[in-house]
Amino acid sequence: MFPEILPNEIEKALKEDKQLPIIDVREAEEVAAGKIPGAKHIPLGQVLTRTNELDPNTEYIVVCRSGNRSSLACEWLAGKGFKVKNMAGGMSNWTGDIE
């Protein structure tokens, strides 16, 4: 299992200039409409083929639209030994800045 983090907790940390490694697993057209500043885009279908881009010593926050795809990505990544947190409610609950 993996922990969850609330969107407002992420927003607060970003406003405090904390560097958060965020992975956005939505599709390209969803990300084009806006993503959390600094988030790395890896579509869900590519998560397991792009683990070489991730540091196993870093804890990642995984994001999607509603929290379902990111939960699946967290399950896959945790199974590969990565440290992950799922953003509860996804971008549907995000009120912070987007890029």
Side-chain angles (χ1 to χ4, degrees):
M1 199 59 195
F2 47 85
E4 288 196 330
I5 186 168
L6 297 173
N8 64 330
E9 294 175 297
I10 296 169
E11 185 178 355
K12 182 177 184 265
L14 290 173
K15 284 182 178 174
E16 294 170 354
D17 288 329
K18 292 186 180 165
Q19 297 299 311
L20 299 178
I22 299 170
I23 301 170
D24 192 322
V25 297
R26 297 176 298 155
E27 295 301 317
E29 57 275 7
E30 294 173 288
V31 171
K35 66 179 180 68
I36 297 171
K40 180 177 185 68
H41 179 224
I42 302 178
L44 181 64
Q46 298 176 18
V47 166
L48 290 178
T49 60
R50 292 177 60 186
T51 56
N52 62 317
E53 298 175 35
L54 307 176
D55 179 354
N57 297 313
T58 298
E59 182 175 66
Y60 292 94
I61 297 168
V62 187
V63 177
C64 70
R65 182 183 53 82
S66 66
N68 292 326
R69 286 175 284 176
S70 55
S71 179
L72 184 57
C74 282
E75 188 177 318
W76 293 347
L77 290 169
K80 296 285 184 188
F82 289 93
K83 296 175 267 187
V84 290
K85 285 185 181 179
N86 185 36
M87 186 173 92
M91 290 300 288
S92 296
N93 289 345
W94 181 255
T95 58
D97 293 337
I98 58 171
E99 63 177 15

